[in-house]
């Protein structure tokens, strides 16, 4: 389709405006993390590393950061195992109710976070009688992280087909050897990309976390929410938010590069 010159200009203008609405506030947060002014007057009167030094010594922020990393890593491992198994089951086998099961796997990420959070909170506390804490938080995060891994792996399996695996077994390799030498190398980049995306999604999740973390467990997004309006905490919150932005963008960028590998084998 060929667009007129005025249509191209209008489309580019709209694109830049839309990107500006999304990214300009993020850039302001990054700049304000170095702003010398405690009230974040704009433009900054000067720049300093004082807030970064104070954040590095803030026990609450460091503990919340460690909790977010631990939850993200464990939830990602669980998602990699379950998401990979589910993708193999649905792609390599045909059975009654296959489409329904696929929908059930993807549904948690499509539902509003508050609905998922309330449902899990009721299930843990009322049905199972489990106290909210680290374990319930991992389970809650894994429910939507599985979807990310599942989508990445099943998309790669559909692209690859099964010819190379069949050829490997025809040449005498058993199932485990075929998976180790043929299937896994072709899936490696998809697994790594799915794991990075799952970790990034878990690391900055706040709605489901609010309903499943419990009183004694605090992730970094929850810490930011609790300290956002406290006196003298605004500079530290900006630094933590800046760290959160970086730690969310890097995995997504790497995952996009890996997922865009057209050869299927990946560069990882």
């Amino acid at each position: 389709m060929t667009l007129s010159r005025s249509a191209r200009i209008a489309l580019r203008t709209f694109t830049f405006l839309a990107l500006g609405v999304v990214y300009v506030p993020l850039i302001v947060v990054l700049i304000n993390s170095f702003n010398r002014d405690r009230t974040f007057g704009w433009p900054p009167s000067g720049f300093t590393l004082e807030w970064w030094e104070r954040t590095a010594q803030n026990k609450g922020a460091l503990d919340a950061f460690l909790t977010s990393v631990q939850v993200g890593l464990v939830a990602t491992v669980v998602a990699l195992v379950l998401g990979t198994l589910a993708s193999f089951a649905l792609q390599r086998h045909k059975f009654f109710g296959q489409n329904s099961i696929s929908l059930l796997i993807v549904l948690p990420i499509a539902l509003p976070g508050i609905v998922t959070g309330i449902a899990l909170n009721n299930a843990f506390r009322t049905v199972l009688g489990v106290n909210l804490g680290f374990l319930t938080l991992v389970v809650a995060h894994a429910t939507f992280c599985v979807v990310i891994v599942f989508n990445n792996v099943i998309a790669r399996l559909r692209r690859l087909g099964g010819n190379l695996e069949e050829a490997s077994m025809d040449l005498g390799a058993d199932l485990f050897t075929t998976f180790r030498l043929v299937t896994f190398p072709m899936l490696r980049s998809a697994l790594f990309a799915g794991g990075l995306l799952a970790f990034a999604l878990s690391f900055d999740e706040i709605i489901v976390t609010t309903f499943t973390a419990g009183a004694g467990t605090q992730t970094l997004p929850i810490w930011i929410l609790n300290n956002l309006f406290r006196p003298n905490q605004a500079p530290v919150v900006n630094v933590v938010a800046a760290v959160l932005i970086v730690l969310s963008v890097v995995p997504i960028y790497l995952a996009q590069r890996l997922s865009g590998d057209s050869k299927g084998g990946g560069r990882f």
Side-chain angles (χ1 to χ4, degrees), residues 101-197:
I101 293 177
S102 178
L103 176 63
L104 290 175
I105 294 174
V106 177
L107 192 59
I109 205 168
L111 289 174
I114 191 169
V115 174
T116 303
I118 293 174
L120 289 172
N121 182 283
N122 289 333
F124 289 137
R125 297 174 64 240
T126 306
V127 179
L128 300 176
V130 177
N131 293 327
L132 299 181
F134 182 85
L135 181 60
T136 58
L137 193 54
V138 168
V139 173
H141 282 211
T143 57
F144 52 80
C145 289
V146 166
V147 183
I148 304 299
V149 176
F150 172 78
N151 285 337
N152 273 270
V153 176
I154 201 169
R156 180 61 58 83
L157 289 175
R158 287 169 179 167
R159 284 169 50 188
L160 295 176
N163 293 337
L164 292 178
E165 295 163 308
E166 293 174 0
S168 173
M169 288 186 282
D170 286 343
L171 293 173
D174 56 25
L175 186 62
F176 176 76
T177 302
T178 298
F179 178 81
R180 182 171 59 89
L181 298 180
V182 179
T183 308
F184 180 71
M186 294 190 298
L187 288 178
R188 187 165 49 193
S189 62
L191 290 169
F192 189 58
L196 286 173
L197 286 173

